[in-house]
Amino acid sequence: QVQLEESGPGLVKPSQTLSLTCTVSGGSISGSGYYWSWIRQHPGKGLEWIGYISYTGSTYYNPSLKSLVTISLDKSKNHFSLKLSSVTAADTAMYYCARGFGVVTPLFDYWGQGTLVTVSS
Amino acid sequence: QTVLTQPPSVSGAPGQRVTISCTGSSSNIGAGYDVHWYQQLPGTAPKLLIYGNNNRPSGVPDRFSGSKSGTSASLAITGLQAEDEADYYCQSYDSSLSGLYVFGTGTKVTVL
């Protein structure tokens, strides 16, 4: 059974960089066909896909966040990470990591439990 | 930017049937891309409920079903139960500048 777990600071100051890590257990992050994604949910709101890194290391980001986001992969630690720069209060949200799977229309079959990040001074 | 539109809320009595619509456009659902559905129980992460328009992962009760037609998709819950009270989201792929993965606006299902 694949499990994902987010970790990182729960409080980030405005203008700083938000950094989160998602550790994958029960499966290899190098497995072919998977897209390791970050998704966030603002308080009381819907889901917003942030971006993904594939098993080959290629990345794709939500165009609305592209200039601020970096997702990286560490195969030796079986985890992937999110960096979101120049954060503002609008980046306060629950951040989920998830495994994307599928060729034509990837779906998210495994999710972490989420980690709440608050942006405040 | 809203790409997939869902009704904010639907409700029904136990045992009833409710449906949730997911309206897209020619760059996502209408382009033939699959629709997936997620259930988010209060305080928990979303869970895959329906994939590929009308397929249920192992363990999902058969009272949940999905369909797709044109630029829209629907999720139906028959024999509504108290434990179905949750938020439901559709998801698809969008080929425009909106981003690769797009989610619906979400629907709160209330069991009366």
Side-chain angles (χ1 to χ4, degrees):
Chain A
Q1 178 79 351
V2 174
Q3 293 184 310
L4 292 82
E5 183 174 8
E6 305 89 350
S7 59
L11 181 64
V12 181
K13 293 186 184 330
S15 81
Q16 293 191 341
T17 297
L18 179 161
S19 296
L20 296 174
T21 295
C22 180
T23 301
V24 179
S25 58
S28 173
I29 204 166
S30 301
S32 62
Y34 297 128
Y35 302 86
W36 303 98
S37 290
W38 287 96
I39 295 159
R40 70 180 181 180
Q41 186 170 35
H42 294 102
K45 302 296 184 183
L47 300 165
E48 178 184 31
W49 173 72
I50 298 171
Y52 76 63
I53 186 163
S54 76
Y55 61 104
T56 63
S58 62
T59 56
Y60 200 94
Y61 305 130
N62 187 322
S64 67
L65 297 169
K66 185 176 181 179
S67 62
L68 302 171
V69 174
T70 303
I71 298 177
S72 58
L73 195 68
D74 188 331
K75 294 181 180 180
S76 66
K77 296 181 180 178
N78 218 44
H79 75 208
F80 63 106
S81 300
L82 167 72
K83 290 189 186 300
L84 180 65
S85 63
S86 304
V87 297
T88 70
D91 296 305
T92 293
M94 184 71 80
Y95 286 77
Y96 295 100
C97 58
R99 188 180 82 169
F101 173 77
V103 178
V104 178
T105 311
L107 53 86
F108 301 104
D109 56 354
Y110 290 98
W111 296 65
Q113 82 281 3
T115 188
L116 179 63
V117 178
T118 301
V119 178
S120 175
S121 55
Chain B
Q1 67 282 26
T2 298
V3 179
L4 301 179
T5 302
Q6 301 177 231
S9 64
V10 298
S11 61
Q16 286 190 328
R17 180 180 188 269
V18 297
T19 60
I20 301 169
S21 61
C22 173
T23 302
S25 67
S26 58
S27 63
N28 42 70
I29 299 175
Y33 297 115
D34 286 343
V35 177
H36 316 302
W37 291 90
Y38 301 86
Q39 178 192 59
Q40 187 175 30
L41 296 169
T44 69
K47 167 193 163 187
L48 182 64
L49 191 68
I50 296 285
Y51 68 93
N53 306 316
N54 55 13
N55 300 288
R56 288 184 308 277
S58 174
V60 173
D62 60 6
R63 52 200 182 75
F64 292 95
S65 62
S67 62
K68 189 185 92 165
S69 179
T71 58
S72 296
S74 291
L75 173 72
I77 310 173
T78 57
L80 193 63
Q81 298 184 6
E83 67 227 45
D84 299 332
E85 190 159 290
D87 294 322
Y88 293 82
Y89 295 91
C90 58
Q91 177 241 316
S92 188
Y93 176 101
D94 191 277
S95 59
S96 73
L97 294 177
S98 300
L100 275 178
Y101 300 105
V102 289
F103 287 95
T105 49
T107 298
K108 169 70 176 179
V109 169
T110 300
V111 182
L112 301 172

Short mmCIF file of all heavy atoms in Angstrom, two decimals, chain B residues 10-79:
data_model
loop_
_atom_site.label_atom_id
_atom_site.label_comp_id
_atom_site.label_asym_id
_atom_site.label_seq_id
_atom_site.Cartn_x
_atom_site.Cartn_y
_atom_site.Cartn_z
N VAL B 10 -25.90 20.04 -2.82
CA VAL B 10 -27.08 19.21 -3.10
C VAL B 10 -27.42 18.51 -1.80
O VAL B 10 -26.56 18.31 -0.94
CB VAL B 10 -26.84 18.18 -4.23
CG1 VAL B 10 -26.50 18.87 -5.54
CG2 VAL B 10 -25.78 17.18 -3.84
N SER B 11 -28.67 18.14 -1.66
CA SER B 11 -29.08 17.45 -0.45
C SER B 11 -30.15 16.41 -0.76
O SER B 11 -30.83 16.49 -1.80
CB SER B 11 -29.61 18.45 0.59
OG SER B 11 -30.74 19.13 0.08
N GLY B 12 -30.28 15.47 0.14
CA GLY B 12 -31.28 14.43 -0.04
C GLY B 12 -31.47 13.67 1.25
O GLY B 12 -30.59 13.67 2.12
N ALA B 13 -32.60 13.03 1.35
CA ALA B 13 -32.90 12.22 2.52
C ALA B 13 -32.21 10.86 2.38
O ALA B 13 -31.88 10.44 1.26
CB ALA B 13 -34.40 12.03 2.66
N PRO B 14 -31.98 10.19 3.48
CA PRO B 14 -31.40 8.84 3.40
C PRO B 14 -32.22 7.95 2.47
O PRO B 14 -33.45 7.97 2.50
CB PRO B 14 -31.46 8.35 4.85
CG PRO B 14 -31.40 9.59 5.66
CD PRO B 14 -32.16 10.62 4.89
N GLY B 15 -31.51 7.23 1.61
CA GLY B 15 -32.16 6.34 0.67
C GLY B 15 -32.46 6.96 -0.68
O GLY B 15 -32.73 6.23 -1.64
N GLN B 16 -32.43 8.27 -0.74
CA GLN B 16 -32.73 8.94 -2.00
C GLN B 16 -31.52 8.92 -2.94
O GLN B 16 -30.43 8.51 -2.58
CB GLN B 16 -33.16 10.39 -1.75
CG GLN B 16 -34.56 10.53 -1.18
CD GLN B 16 -35.03 11.96 -1.18
OE1 GLN B 16 -34.25 12.90 -1.02
NE2 GLN B 16 -36.35 12.15 -1.32
N ARG B 17 -31.80 9.39 -4.18
CA ARG B 17 -30.75 9.50 -5.20
C ARG B 17 -30.44 10.97 -5.43
O ARG B 17 -31.37 11.79 -5.57
CB ARG B 17 -31.22 8.87 -6.50
CG ARG B 17 -30.21 8.93 -7.65
CD ARG B 17 -30.80 8.25 -8.88
NE ARG B 17 -29.84 8.10 -9.97
CZ ARG B 17 -29.66 8.99 -10.93
NH1 ARG B 17 -30.38 10.10 -10.95
NH2 ARG B 17 -28.76 8.77 -11.89
N VAL B 18 -29.16 11.31 -5.45
CA VAL B 18 -28.74 12.66 -5.77
C VAL B 18 -27.74 12.61 -6.91
O VAL B 18 -27.01 11.62 -7.07
CB VAL B 18 -28.13 13.40 -4.55
CG1 VAL B 18 -29.16 13.56 -3.44
CG2 VAL B 18 -26.89 12.69 -4.05
N THR B 19 -27.70 13.68 -7.67
CA THR B 19 -26.72 13.77 -8.74
C THR B 19 -25.98 15.09 -8.65
O THR B 19 -26.53 16.11 -8.22
CB THR B 19 -27.36 13.65 -10.13
OG1 THR B 19 -28.30 14.72 -10.31
CG2 THR B 19 -28.07 12.32 -10.30
N ILE B 20 -24.72 15.06 -9.05
CA ILE B 20 -23.87 16.23 -9.05
C ILE B 20 -23.34 16.43 -10.47
O ILE B 20 -22.76 15.50 -11.05
CB ILE B 20 -22.68 16.07 -8.09
CG1 ILE B 20 -23.16 15.82 -6.66
CG2 ILE B 20 -21.76 17.29 -8.15
CD1 ILE B 20 -22.06 15.37 -5.71
N SER B 21 -23.55 17.60 -11.00
CA SER B 21 -23.08 17.87 -12.35
C SER B 21 -21.71 18.53 -12.33
O SER B 21 -21.31 19.17 -11.34
CB SER B 21 -24.07 18.78 -13.09
OG SER B 21 -24.19 20.01 -12.39
N CYS B 22 -21.00 18.36 -13.41
CA CYS B 22 -19.66 18.95 -13.58
C CYS B 22 -19.62 19.46 -15.03
O CYS B 22 -19.56 18.66 -15.97
CB CYS B 22 -18.60 17.89 -13.33
SG CYS B 22 -16.90 18.40 -13.69
N THR B 23 -19.69 20.77 -15.18
CA THR B 23 -19.79 21.36 -16.52
C THR B 23 -18.45 21.95 -16.93
O THR B 23 -17.91 22.81 -16.24
CB THR B 23 -20.88 22.44 -16.55
OG1 THR B 23 -22.13 21.86 -16.15
CG2 THR B 23 -21.02 23.01 -17.95
N GLY B 24 -17.96 21.50 -18.06
CA GLY B 24 -16.68 21.96 -18.57
C GLY B 24 -16.82 22.66 -19.90
O GLY B 24 -17.78 23.40 -20.13
N SER B 25 -15.86 22.43 -20.78
CA SER B 25 -15.84 23.11 -22.07
C SER B 25 -15.14 22.25 -23.11
O SER B 25 -14.76 21.11 -22.84
CB SER B 25 -15.13 24.46 -21.93
OG SER B 25 -13.75 24.25 -21.66
N SER B 26 -14.95 22.84 -24.27
CA SER B 26 -14.34 22.10 -25.38
C SER B 26 -12.85 21.87 -25.20
O SER B 26 -12.25 21.13 -25.99
CB SER B 26 -14.57 22.87 -26.68
OG SER B 26 -14.02 24.17 -26.57
N SER B 27 -12.25 22.48 -24.18
CA SER B 27 -10.81 22.26 -23.95
C SER B 27 -10.57 21.20 -22.88
O SER B 27 -9.42 20.86 -22.60
CB SER B 27 -10.11 23.56 -23.56
OG SER B 27 -10.61 24.05 -22.33
N ASN B 28 -11.60 20.68 -22.28
CA ASN B 28 -11.41 19.65 -21.26
C ASN B 28 -12.39 18.48 -21.48
O ASN B 28 -12.13 17.61 -22.32
CB ASN B 28 -11.49 20.22 -19.85
CG ASN B 28 -12.60 21.24 -19.66
OD1 ASN B 28 -13.79 20.90 -19.67
ND2 ASN B 28 -12.23 22.50 -19.48
N ILE B 29 -13.51 18.49 -20.80
CA ILE B 29 -14.44 17.36 -20.93
C ILE B 29 -14.91 17.21 -22.38
O ILE B 29 -14.97 16.10 -22.93
CB ILE B 29 -15.64 17.54 -19.99
CG1 ILE B 29 -15.18 17.59 -18.53
CG2 ILE B 29 -16.62 16.37 -20.17
CD1 ILE B 29 -16.29 17.90 -17.54
N GLY B 30 -15.22 18.32 -23.01
CA GLY B 30 -15.72 18.28 -24.38
C GLY B 30 -14.69 17.82 -25.40
O GLY B 30 -15.04 17.42 -26.51
N ALA B 31 -13.42 17.86 -25.02
CA ALA B 31 -12.35 17.41 -25.91
C ALA B 31 -12.15 15.90 -25.82
O ALA B 31 -11.30 15.34 -26.50
CB ALA B 31 -11.05 18.13 -25.57
N GLY B 32 -12.92 15.27 -24.93
CA GLY B 32 -12.84 13.83 -24.81
C GLY B 32 -12.01 13.33 -23.65
O GLY B 32 -11.84 12.13 -23.47
N TYR B 33 -11.50 14.25 -22.85
CA TYR B 33 -10.69 13.83 -21.71
C TYR B 33 -11.57 13.23 -20.62
O TYR B 33 -12.71 13.66 -20.40
CB TYR B 33 -9.88 15.00 -21.17
CG TYR B 33 -8.89 15.55 -22.16
CD1 TYR B 33 -9.01 16.83 -22.67
CD2 TYR B 33 -7.83 14.76 -22.62
CE1 TYR B 33 -8.11 17.33 -23.60
CE2 TYR B 33 -6.93 15.25 -23.56
CZ TYR B 33 -7.08 16.53 -24.04
OH TYR B 33 -6.20 17.01 -24.98
N ASP B 34 -11.01 12.24 -19.95
CA ASP B 34 -11.76 11.56 -18.89
C ASP B 34 -12.03 12.48 -17.71
O ASP B 34 -11.34 13.47 -17.49
CB ASP B 34 -10.97 10.35 -18.38
CG ASP B 34 -10.99 9.19 -19.36
OD1 ASP B 34 -11.85 9.17 -20.26
OD2 ASP B 34 -10.14 8.29 -19.21
N VAL B 35 -13.05 12.09 -16.95
CA VAL B 35 -13.40 12.80 -15.72
C VAL B 35 -13.25 11.83 -14.55
O VAL B 35 -13.65 10.66 -14.63
CB VAL B 35 -14.84 13.34 -15.78
CG1 VAL B 35 -15.22 14.00 -14.44
CG2 VAL B 35 -14.99 14.33 -16.93
N HIS B 36 -12.65 12.32 -13.50
CA HIS B 36 -12.50 11.55 -12.26
C HIS B 36 -13.23 12.30 -11.15
O HIS B 36 -13.39 13.53 -11.22
CB HIS B 36 -11.03 11.38 -11.90
CG HIS B 36 -10.15 11.00 -13.05
ND1 HIS B 36 -10.35 9.86 -13.80
CD2 HIS B 36 -9.08 11.64 -13.59
CE1 HIS B 36 -9.43 9.80 -14.75
NE2 HIS B 36 -8.66 10.87 -14.65
N TRP B 37 -13.66 11.56 -10.15
CA TRP B 37 -14.39 12.16 -9.02
C TRP B 37 -13.71 11.79 -7.71
O TRP B 37 -13.22 10.66 -7.54
CB TRP B 37 -15.83 11.67 -8.99
CG TRP B 37 -16.67 12.18 -10.13
CD1 TRP B 37 -16.85 11.61 -11.35
CD2 TRP B 37 -17.47 13.37 -10.12
NE1 TRP B 37 -17.70 12.38 -12.12
CE2 TRP B 37 -18.10 13.45 -11.38
CE3 TRP B 37 -17.73 14.36 -9.17
CZ2 TRP B 37 -18.97 14.51 -11.72
CZ3 TRP B 37 -18.59 15.40 -9.51
CH2 TRP B 37 -19.20 15.46 -10.77
N TYR B 38 -13.70 12.75 -6.79
CA TYR B 38 -13.11 12.55 -5.48
C TYR B 38 -14.12 12.90 -4.41
O TYR B 38 -14.93 13.82 -4.57
CB TYR B 38 -11.86 13.44 -5.30
CG TYR B 38 -10.81 13.16 -6.34
CD1 TYR B 38 -10.86 13.79 -7.58
CD2 TYR B 38 -9.78 12.26 -6.10
CE1 TYR B 38 -9.91 13.52 -8.56
CE2 TYR B 38 -8.83 11.97 -7.08
CZ TYR B 38 -8.91 12.61 -8.30
OH TYR B 38 -7.99 12.33 -9.27
N GLN B 39 -14.03 12.16 -3.31
CA GLN B 39 -14.85 12.42 -2.13
C GLN B 39 -13.93 12.94 -1.03
O GLN B 39 -12.89 12.34 -0.76
CB GLN B 39 -15.53 11.13 -1.67
CG GLN B 39 -16.37 11.28 -0.41
CD GLN B 39 -16.76 9.92 0.15
OE1 GLN B 39 -15.91 9.09 0.49
NE2 GLN B 39 -18.06 9.68 0.29
N GLN B 40 -14.31 14.04 -0.42
CA GLN B 40 -13.53 14.58 0.69
C GLN B 40 -14.41 14.65 1.93
O GLN B 40 -15.25 15.54 2.06
CB GLN B 40 -12.95 15.96 0.36
CG GLN B 40 -12.00 16.47 1.43
CD GLN B 40 -11.33 17.79 1.06
OE1 GLN B 40 -11.89 18.61 0.35
NE2 GLN B 40 -10.11 17.98 1.55
N LEU B 41 -14.21 13.71 2.84
CA LEU B 41 -14.92 13.73 4.11
C LEU B 41 -14.34 14.85 4.96
O LEU B 41 -13.20 15.26 4.78
CB LEU B 41 -14.76 12.38 4.80
CG LEU B 41 -15.39 11.19 4.06
CD1 LEU B 41 -14.96 9.88 4.70
CD2 LEU B 41 -16.90 11.29 4.04
N PRO B 42 -15.13 15.37 5.90
CA PRO B 42 -14.68 16.49 6.72
C PRO B 42 -13.34 16.22 7.39
O PRO B 42 -13.14 15.19 8.03
CB PRO B 42 -15.80 16.64 7.75
CG PRO B 42 -17.01 16.11 7.06
CD PRO B 42 -16.52 14.98 6.21
N GLY B 43 -12.41 17.16 7.21
CA GLY B 43 -11.11 17.08 7.87
C GLY B 43 -10.16 16.05 7.30
O GLY B 43 -9.14 15.74 7.94
N THR B 44 -10.46 15.52 6.13
CA THR B 44 -9.59 14.50 5.54
C THR B 44 -9.16 14.89 4.13
O THR B 44 -9.69 15.83 3.54
CB THR B 44 -10.27 13.12 5.49
OG1 THR B 44 -11.32 13.16 4.52
CG2 THR B 44 -10.83 12.73 6.85
N ALA B 45 -8.20 14.13 3.62
CA ALA B 45 -7.75 14.36 2.25
C ALA B 45 -8.77 13.78 1.26
O ALA B 45 -9.53 12.86 1.60
CB ALA B 45 -6.39 13.68 2.03
N PRO B 46 -8.80 14.31 0.06
CA PRO B 46 -9.67 13.73 -0.96
C PRO B 46 -9.32 12.27 -1.23
O PRO B 46 -8.17 11.85 -1.08
CB PRO B 46 -9.39 14.60 -2.20
CG PRO B 46 -8.90 15.89 -1.64
CD PRO B 46 -8.10 15.51 -0.43
N LYS B 47 -10.33 11.54 -1.64
CA LYS B 47 -10.17 10.12 -1.95
C LYS B 47 -10.77 9.86 -3.33
O LYS B 47 -11.87 10.34 -3.63
CB LYS B 47 -10.90 9.28 -0.90
CG LYS B 47 -11.11 7.82 -1.24
CD LYS B 47 -12.11 7.19 -0.29
CE LYS B 47 -12.64 5.88 -0.83
NZ LYS B 47 -13.74 5.33 -0.01
N LEU B 48 -10.05 9.11 -4.14
CA LEU B 48 -10.55 8.79 -5.48
C LEU B 48 -11.81 7.96 -5.39
O LEU B 48 -11.82 6.89 -4.75
CB LEU B 48 -9.47 8.04 -6.26
CG LEU B 48 -9.80 7.66 -7.70
CD1 LEU B 48 -10.00 8.90 -8.57
CD2 LEU B 48 -8.72 6.76 -8.28
N LEU B 49 -12.87 8.42 -6.04
CA LEU B 49 -14.18 7.78 -5.94
C LEU B 49 -14.59 7.13 -7.27
O LEU B 49 -15.12 6.02 -7.29
CB LEU B 49 -15.23 8.82 -5.55
CG LEU B 49 -16.60 8.34 -5.15
CD1 LEU B 49 -16.55 7.58 -3.82
CD2 LEU B 49 -17.56 9.53 -5.04
N ILE B 50 -14.38 7.83 -8.35
CA ILE B 50 -14.69 7.35 -9.69
C ILE B 50 -13.55 7.76 -10.60
O ILE B 50 -13.08 8.91 -10.52
CB ILE B 50 -16.00 7.97 -10.24
CG1 ILE B 50 -17.20 7.54 -9.41
CG2 ILE B 50 -16.20 7.62 -11.74
CD1 ILE B 50 -17.67 6.10 -9.62
N TYR B 51 -13.09 6.85 -11.46
CA TYR B 51 -12.05 7.22 -12.42
C TYR B 51 -12.48 6.83 -13.83
O TYR B 51 -13.31 5.93 -14.02
CB TYR B 51 -10.70 6.58 -12.06
CG TYR B 51 -10.66 5.07 -12.20
CD1 TYR B 51 -10.22 4.47 -13.38
CD2 TYR B 51 -11.05 4.24 -11.15
CE1 TYR B 51 -10.17 3.09 -13.50
CE2 TYR B 51 -11.02 2.87 -11.27
CZ TYR B 51 -10.57 2.29 -12.44
OH TYR B 51 -10.54 0.93 -12.56
N GLY B 52 -11.92 7.52 -14.79
CA GLY B 52 -12.26 7.22 -16.18
C GLY B 52 -13.73 7.31 -16.46
O GLY B 52 -14.30 6.45 -17.15
N ASN B 53 -14.36 8.33 -15.93
CA ASN B 53 -15.78 8.65 -16.16
C ASN B 53 -16.75 7.79 -15.37
O ASN B 53 -17.74 8.29 -14.83
CB ASN B 53 -16.15 8.55 -17.64
CG ASN B 53 -15.26 9.39 -18.51
OD1 ASN B 53 -14.96 10.53 -18.18
ND2 ASN B 53 -14.81 8.82 -19.63
N ASN B 54 -16.53 6.47 -15.33
CA ASN B 54 -17.56 5.61 -14.74
C ASN B 54 -17.01 4.34 -14.10
O ASN B 54 -17.73 3.33 -14.00
CB ASN B 54 -18.58 5.23 -15.82
CG ASN B 54 -17.93 4.58 -17.03
OD1 ASN B 54 -16.76 4.20 -16.99
ND2 ASN B 54 -18.67 4.45 -18.11
N ASN B 55 -15.77 4.38 -13.65
CA ASN B 55 -15.17 3.21 -13.02
C ASN B 55 -14.93 3.45 -11.54
O ASN B 55 -14.50 4.53 -11.15
CB ASN B 55 -13.84 2.88 -13.71
CG ASN B 55 -14.02 2.59 -15.18
OD1 ASN B 55 -14.54 1.55 -15.57
ND2 ASN B 55 -13.60 3.53 -16.03
N ARG B 56 -15.21 2.43 -10.76
CA ARG B 56 -15.01 2.54 -9.31
C ARG B 56 -13.76 1.80 -8.87
O ARG B 56 -13.59 0.62 -9.22
CB ARG B 56 -16.21 1.96 -8.55
CG ARG B 56 -17.48 2.76 -8.61
CD ARG B 56 -18.56 2.11 -7.73
NE ARG B 56 -18.74 0.70 -8.05
CZ ARG B 56 -19.50 0.26 -9.05
NH1 ARG B 56 -20.15 1.12 -9.79
NH2 ARG B 56 -19.61 -1.04 -9.28
N PRO B 57 -12.90 2.47 -8.09
CA PRO B 57 -11.76 1.73 -7.51
C PRO B 57 -12.28 0.66 -6.57
O PRO B 57 -13.42 0.73 -6.07
CB PRO B 57 -11.00 2.82 -6.74
CG PRO B 57 -11.47 4.11 -7.31
CD PRO B 57 -12.89 3.88 -7.74
N SER B 58 -11.45 -0.30 -6.30
CA SER B 58 -11.81 -1.35 -5.36
C SER B 58 -12.19 -0.75 -4.01
O SER B 58 -11.51 0.14 -3.50
CB SER B 58 -10.61 -2.30 -5.19
OG SER B 58 -10.87 -3.25 -4.20
N GLY B 59 -13.31 -1.21 -3.47
CA GLY B 59 -13.75 -0.75 -2.17
C GLY B 59 -14.80 0.35 -2.20
O GLY B 59 -15.40 0.64 -1.17
N VAL B 60 -15.01 0.95 -3.35
CA VAL B 60 -16.03 1.99 -3.46
C VAL B 60 -17.39 1.34 -3.73
O VAL B 60 -17.51 0.55 -4.69
CB VAL B 60 -15.69 3.00 -4.57
CG1 VAL B 60 -16.85 3.97 -4.80
CG2 VAL B 60 -14.42 3.75 -4.23
N PRO B 61 -18.39 1.62 -2.92
CA PRO B 61 -19.70 0.98 -3.10
C PRO B 61 -20.31 1.28 -4.47
O PRO B 61 -20.09 2.36 -5.05
CB PRO B 61 -20.54 1.62 -1.99
CG PRO B 61 -19.56 2.12 -1.00
CD PRO B 61 -18.36 2.53 -1.76
N ASP B 62 -21.08 0.32 -4.99
CA ASP B 62 -21.66 0.48 -6.32
C ASP B 62 -22.83 1.45 -6.35
O ASP B 62 -23.42 1.67 -7.41
CB ASP B 62 -22.07 -0.88 -6.89
CG ASP B 62 -23.12 -1.59 -6.04
OD1 ASP B 62 -23.60 -0.99 -5.06
OD2 ASP B 62 -23.43 -2.75 -6.35
N ARG B 63 -23.17 2.06 -5.23
CA ARG B 63 -24.20 3.11 -5.27
C ARG B 63 -23.64 4.42 -5.78
O ARG B 63 -24.37 5.38 -5.99
CB ARG B 63 -24.84 3.27 -3.89
CG ARG B 63 -23.88 3.45 -2.77
CD ARG B 63 -24.57 3.10 -1.42
NE ARG B 63 -23.65 3.33 -0.32
CZ ARG B 63 -23.36 4.53 0.12
NH1 ARG B 63 -23.96 5.58 -0.43
NH2 ARG B 63 -22.50 4.70 1.08
N PHE B 64 -22.31 4.46 -5.99
CA PHE B 64 -21.68 5.61 -6.62
C PHE B 64 -21.47 5.27 -8.10
O PHE B 64 -20.90 4.24 -8.43
CB PHE B 64 -20.33 5.94 -5.99
CG PHE B 64 -20.42 6.45 -4.58
CD1 PHE B 64 -20.29 5.59 -3.50
CD2 PHE B 64 -20.65 7.80 -4.33
CE1 PHE B 64 -20.37 6.05 -2.19
CE2 PHE B 64 -20.73 8.27 -3.02
CZ PHE B 64 -20.60 7.40 -1.96
N SER B 65 -21.90 6.17 -8.97
CA SER B 65 -21.70 5.92 -10.40
C SER B 65 -21.44 7.24 -11.11
O SER B 65 -21.85 8.31 -10.66
CB SER B 65 -22.92 5.23 -11.02
OG SER B 65 -24.06 6.05 -10.91
N GLY B 66 -20.74 7.16 -12.23
CA GLY B 66 -20.41 8.35 -12.99
C GLY B 66 -20.80 8.20 -14.44
O GLY B 66 -20.93 7.09 -14.96
N SER B 67 -20.99 9.35 -15.09
CA SER B 67 -21.29 9.35 -16.51
C SER B 67 -20.73 10.62 -17.12
O SER B 67 -20.38 11.58 -16.42
CB SER B 67 -22.79 9.26 -16.75
OG SER B 67 -23.45 10.39 -16.20
N LYS B 68 -20.64 10.61 -18.45
CA LYS B 68 -20.10 11.78 -19.16
C LYS B 68 -20.81 11.91 -20.49
O LYS B 68 -21.09 10.91 -21.17
CB LYS B 68 -18.60 11.62 -19.40
CG LYS B 68 -17.93 12.88 -19.93
CD LYS B 68 -16.47 12.61 -20.28
CE LYS B 68 -16.31 12.22 -21.72
NZ LYS B 68 -14.91 12.29 -22.19
N SER B 69 -21.13 13.16 -20.85
CA SER B 69 -21.77 13.41 -22.13
C SER B 69 -21.44 14.83 -22.57
O SER B 69 -21.67 15.79 -21.82
CB SER B 69 -23.29 13.24 -22.02
OG SER B 69 -23.92 13.52 -23.26
N GLY B 70 -20.93 14.95 -23.77
CA GLY B 70 -20.59 16.28 -24.29
C GLY B 70 -19.57 16.98 -23.44
O GLY B 70 -18.49 16.45 -23.19
N THR B 71 -19.90 18.16 -22.97
CA THR B 71 -18.98 18.95 -22.15
C THR B 71 -19.26 18.82 -20.66
O THR B 71 -18.77 19.62 -19.87
CB THR B 71 -19.02 20.44 -22.55
OG1 THR B 71 -20.37 20.91 -22.39
CG2 THR B 71 -18.57 20.65 -23.99
N SER B 72 -20.06 17.83 -20.27
CA SER B 72 -20.42 17.67 -18.86
C SER B 72 -20.25 16.23 -18.39
O SER B 72 -20.21 15.30 -19.20
CB SER B 72 -21.86 18.11 -18.62
OG SER B 72 -22.04 19.48 -18.87
N ALA B 73 -20.17 16.11 -17.08
CA ALA B 73 -20.14 14.80 -16.44
C ALA B 73 -21.03 14.87 -15.22
O ALA B 73 -21.40 15.95 -14.75
CB ALA B 73 -18.72 14.44 -16.03
N SER B 74 -21.41 13.69 -14.72
CA SER B 74 -22.26 13.63 -13.55
C SER B 74 -21.84 12.51 -12.62
O SER B 74 -21.36 11.46 -13.09
CB SER B 74 -23.73 13.40 -13.95
OG SER B 74 -24.27 14.53 -14.59
N LEU B 75 -22.04 12.75 -11.35
CA LEU B 75 -21.85 11.73 -10.32
C LEU B 75 -23.21 11.49 -9.69
O LEU B 75 -23.89 12.45 -9.31
CB LEU B 75 -20.86 12.21 -9.26
CG LEU B 75 -20.70 11.30 -8.03
CD1 LEU B 75 -19.94 10.02 -8.40
CD2 LEU B 75 -19.97 12.03 -6.91
N ALA B 76 -23.59 10.24 -9.60
CA ALA B 76 -24.85 9.88 -8.96
C ALA B 76 -24.59 9.05 -7.71
O ALA B 76 -23.71 8.18 -7.71
CB ALA B 76 -25.75 9.10 -9.93
N ILE B 77 -25.33 9.35 -6.68
CA ILE B 77 -25.29 8.55 -5.46
C ILE B 77 -26.70 8.04 -5.22
O ILE B 77 -27.64 8.82 -5.05
CB ILE B 77 -24.84 9.38 -4.23
CG1 ILE B 77 -23.57 10.17 -4.51
CG2 ILE B 77 -24.63 8.45 -3.03
CD1 ILE B 77 -23.17 11.13 -3.39
N THR B 78 -26.86 6.73 -5.29
CA THR B 78 -28.16 6.14 -5.03
C THR B 78 -28.17 5.53 -3.63
O THR B 78 -27.12 5.13 -3.12
CB THR B 78 -28.50 5.06 -6.07
OG1 THR B 78 -27.44 4.07 -6.04
CG2 THR B 78 -28.57 5.65 -7.47
N GLY B 79 -29.35 5.49 -3.02
CA GLY B 79 -29.42 4.95 -1.67
C GLY B 79 -28.55 5.76 -0.72
O GLY B 79 -27.72 5.21 0.01
#
